Amino acid sequence: RNTKQMIVSALSCLLAVFVLAQSAQAVVIDEKLTLEFTAKLQSRVSLRLQGSQGFTEPKLSVGDLVQWRNIAYLEVQHDLRHLMGQIDFMKPLARWGVEVKYRIVGRFMYEAVYDVGPEALRQVEDQDKHNINSFKQAYDLWECYGDIAKGPVSFRIGRQNVSWGETDILRLLDVINPLDNTFGGIFEDLDDRRIPMWMLRGSYNLGYLGPLSSLTLEGFWVPGNWDARVAPIAPRGTPYSNPLPQPPLPVFYETPAKVMSNSRWGVRLMGMLFDSVNLSVGHYKSYMDLPSRVLNVNDTGGLIPDAAVEVYFDDVQVTGGALNWWESHLDAVIRTEVAWFWKESVFIPEENTPVIPTGLPIPGLEVLPAQGHKTERDILRWMIGFDKNVWLRKLNKTQTFFLSMQYFGQWISDYEDKIKQQVPIYPDDQNYAGLREVEGTVTFLTRTSYMSGQLNPQIVVAYDVRGAWMFQPQIGYLREPFRFLVQYSGIYGSFTNFGFYRDRDQISFVVSYLLN
């Protein structure tokens, strides 16, 4: 592998995009400013701040490069209202007062760590070249949709994101678009991880109904034969993969087929109550971000049966609601969300991946695999959030601090203490981390700005009530059109929830160029 050539290719690609963006900036598209070009170029470098522990593979050391993600977005937005009267097939739409717009976003991404990073990561790529090559570089039509609106009716058709709910940092009600788990993991912002899907989305503004105003019915449909993708899994040995031991049996990944029965869909009703409370209720079908697994066994007639682990993504239906309101006495925004997940897959080792003791004192034959089966439970999840701007004059005399706190809760119906999380505790690969009937996570975010908005510090803290902590302080500096960011990500405490990644502490350096 010619490392120098790979670096030159990556930098040349970014430079070419930069030149094109600069050229676009110098061109006046139209006097009415209906056609707009924007661009975002970003390079993100992350270094590991501690050595790998437990089942984490490969073994990396302090200072090792774990991310060098180069990405470029080129965006075109065009409002066609002023041109529709000049285009023959659109003239009827113009006469009817129909508004038409479109948006196209191209994404160019190259993750260089597998070419210029530690030797251990280059070996991982050599062992799983096809899988890793599928996500280390991509050139995508990332978003591409058109908007059509007439009065209270609007449609958006094309590749897009849908986000329902009121949460930050962690998501609850908006498990609609899959999340990209192949880079950054929980250290990355949700908006950067959502994967757009080809869908039809529409809304109808019903107006007033009693104390409700702006009452709107909204729905979406992702035809399964158009798009059936699910959240990609970071392969074992990559920097943000789950800390799992080497599987003793073959592993097969079963992803949803592109058939109509695997469609995603949803509908919600939203509006404003008494001009101060935004609320919504809805129901949708989607797929969870994390798969489950079962042990499949075929009796070959021999002493040892033929067995393999099947990793599968099951669909789930969700019913829930969200609301937020400004509380005048506290001068704060209060947010809440609740969702019931119907028949969500859970993991019970004795049922999903069972083994049978043989009583034989023969190494490797003490136990034999047995046929597993899927297990499901209804799960209730909720969130209560609180947002407020406060003055801390001793820390900042000119700008307020934005404070945001959230509590996420979870309750499993028909709970059994056999229900586990799917990550074993080192060194026993059969001792899985437990999952309680009621779980909870608290998040806290604060940020402010200095130097007329040029210097922007922020702190994010997450705490799992079973004793896991995540800290993510960062400081950003704006020198338009450039933006610079330094971010620390660290996890401490119990081996549960995000505590699984407590040996992944890192520091990240981000440089962005924005053409607006």
Side-chain angles (χ1 to χ4, degrees):
R1 181 185 291 106
N2 190 331
T3 300
K4 182 177 179 180
Q5 183 179 1
M6 297 297 294
I7 297 175
V8 171
S9 298
L11 295 179
S12 298
C13 178
L14 288 178
L15 179 60
V17 175
F18 178 81
V19 171
L20 290 173
Q22 289 288 73
S23 300
Q25 189 177 28
V27 176
V28 177
I29 306 303
D30 65 342
E31 295 181 356
K32 297 183 181 296
L33 301 179
T34 61
L35 180 59
E36 179 183 3
F37 289 93
T38 61
K40 177 182 177 180
L41 314 179
Q42 185 181 93
S43 184
R44 183 184 184 101
V45 172
S46 299
L47 305 175
R48 187 66 59 81
L49 294 182
Q50 64 183 128
S52 301
Q53 302 171 8
F55 288 122
T56 296
E57 293 290 342
K59 300 303 180 185
L60 300 177
S61 303
V62 176
D64 278 348
L65 180 71
V66 292
Q67 186 181 46
W68 184 11
R69 195 166 188 260
N70 303 286
I71 193 163
Y73 293 99
L74 297 181
E75 178 180 334
V76 177
Q77 295 190 75
H78 196 185
D79 187 337
L80 297 176
R81 283 178 293 178
H82 297 286
L83 295 177
M84 292 169 60
Q86 306 172 27
I87 303 174
D88 289 340
F89 73 91
M90 299 187 76
K91 287 180 179 179
L93 297 178
R95 289 194 296 268
W96 296 336
V98 177
E99 299 179 5
V100 180
K101 305 176 184 178
Y102 69 84
R103 179 171 182 258
I104 299 174
V105 180
R107 189 187 74 150
F108 306 84
M109 188 273 292
Y110 170 53
E111 172 57 75
V113 70
Y114 300 104
D115 296 306
V116 301
E119 180 62 29
L121 291 179
R122 288 184 250 173
Q123 292 176 358
V124 168
E125 182 191 7
D126 291 338
Q127 297 166 6
D128 195 6
K129 187 175 292 291
H130 175 75
N131 199 9
I132 292 178
N133 281 343
S134 68
F135 69 79
K136 84 170 190 180
Q137 57 185 6
Y139 314 101
D140 301 318
L141 184 61
W142 191 239
E143 291 186 74
C144 179
Y145 57 79
D147 289 328
I148 303 174
K150 165 63 176 174
V153 180
S154 66
F155 291 97
R156 175 170 290 180
I157 306 171
R159 193 175 185 195
Q160 56 188 289
N161 280 310
V162 174
S163 179
W164 289 359
E166 299 291 337
T167 65
D168 297 317
I169 304 175
L170 306 174
R171 68 178 185 168
L172 194 159
L173 190 59
D174 66 335
V175 186
I176 299 174
N177 289 80
L179 293 183
D180 191 341
N181 296 312
T182 61
F183 74 97
I186 60 172
F187 299 141
E188 296 288 341
D189 187 87
L190 284 176
D191 291 337
D192 292 332
R193 295 170 60 197
R194 284 191 181 91
I195 301 175
M197 303 190 75
W198 293 99
M199 70 174 72
L200 170 64
R201 181 181 176 186
S203 66
Y204 182 79
N205 191 327
L206 301 169
Y208 288 85
L209 180 63
L212 290 170
S213 61
S214 300
L215 189 64
T216 302
L217 182 66
E218 179 185 9
F220 74 88
W221 177 41
V222 183
N225 55 356
W226 285 12
D227 202 338
R229 75 191 72 198
V230 290
I233 301 172
R236 185 176 185 274
T238 56
Y240 301 99
S241 61
N242 290 327
L244 298 173
Q246 181 67 43
L249 297 171
V251 178
F252 297 99
Y253 291 87
E254 180 184 329
T255 56
K258 293 184 71 173
V259 295
M260 193 61 73
S261 60
N262 288 330
S263 298
R264 285 174 165 90
W265 52 263
V267 61
R268 70 168 174 170
L269 188 65
M270 53 187 174
M272 179 171 286
L273 179 66
F274 302 123
D275 296 326
S276 61
V277 180
N278 292 293
L279 54 83
S280 66
V281 292
H283 181 88
Y284 66 86
K285 173 192 169 185
S286 187
Y287 290 83
M288 299 299 289
D289 294 321
L290 297 178
S292 193
R293 51 183 165 147
V294 295
L295 185 59
N296 284 333
V297 177
N298 296 314
D299 188 359
T300 61
L303 183 61
I304 303 177
D306 179 25
V309 176
E310 175 190 331
V311 178
Y312 65 93
F313 290 83
D314 258 1
D315 62 81
V316 63
Q317 296 201 31
V318 181
T319 303
L323 63 87
N324 72 72
W325 72 96
W326 175 69
E327 212 296 313
S328 59
H329 296 90
L330 297 174
D331 189 22
V333 174
I334 299 174
R335 300 174 285 116
T336 185
E337 241 179 77
V338 62
W340 186 269
F341 289 71
W342 301 91
K343 295 183 179 180
E344 179 181 331
S345 293
V346 297
F347 181 65
I348 299 177
E350 296 90 337
E351 298 182 19
N352 288 65
T353 57
V355 292
I356 300 175
T358 64
L360 299 175
I362 304 174
L365 292 179
E366 299 92 343
V367 295
L368 289 178
Q371 180 62 44
H373 63 85
K374 300 177 181 180
T375 53
E376 298 174 333
R377 295 290 188 275
D378 294 339
I379 299 178
L380 175 67
R381 296 185 173 96
W382 65 92
M383 181 280 300
I384 299 175
F386 176 88
D387 302 333
K388 183 176 176 61
N389 288 299
V390 299
W391 283 101
L392 299 175
R393 302 283 187 178
K394 292 185 178 181
L395 298 178
N396 192 337
K397 296 181 180 180
T398 60
Q399 295 291 333
T400 61
F401 282 77
F402 173 73
L403 304 180
S404 177
M405 292 172 283
Q406 300 173 118
Y407 174 78
F408 293 82
Q410 172 181 286
W411 174 75
I412 303 175
S413 67
D414 299 323
Y415 173 79
E416 299 177 76
D417 58 10
K418 297 187 297 182
I419 299 176
K420 304 292 185 180
Q421 301 178 68
Q422 295 190 62
V423 179
I425 302 174
Y426 185 83
D428 185 357
D429 61 2
Q430 297 300 314
N431 180 23
Y432 293 91
L435 191 62
R436 294 178 180 174
E437 182 177 5
V438 178
E439 297 278 358
T441 302
V442 179
T443 69
F444 171 79
L445 179 149
T446 183
R447 61 173 177 260
T448 188
S449 63
Y450 299 90
M451 299 170 56
S452 300
Q454 286 186 298
L455 193 65
N456 300 280
Q458 175 180 290
I459 298 175
V460 171
V461 179
Y463 172 65
D464 184 282
V465 296
R466 297 173 64 181
W469 290 86
M470 180 175 73
F471 297 93
Q472 198 171 53
Q474 67 181 44
I475 186 164
Y477 178 70
L478 277 64
R479 186 75 174 181
E480 299 293 4
F482 293 96
R483 301 187 179 189
F484 306 89
L485 179 73
V486 179
Q487 180 186 75
Y488 166 76
S489 301
I491 295 178
Y492 308 89
S494 302
F495 191 78
T496 181
N497 199 347
F498 48 77
F500 295 147
Y501 307 98
R502 60 187 182 183
D503 64 338
R504 311 291 177 90
D505 294 6
Q506 67 179 35
I507 186 169
S508 300
F509 304 90
V510 185
V511 179
S512 303
Y513 170 85
L514 275 70
L515 170 67
N516 293 314

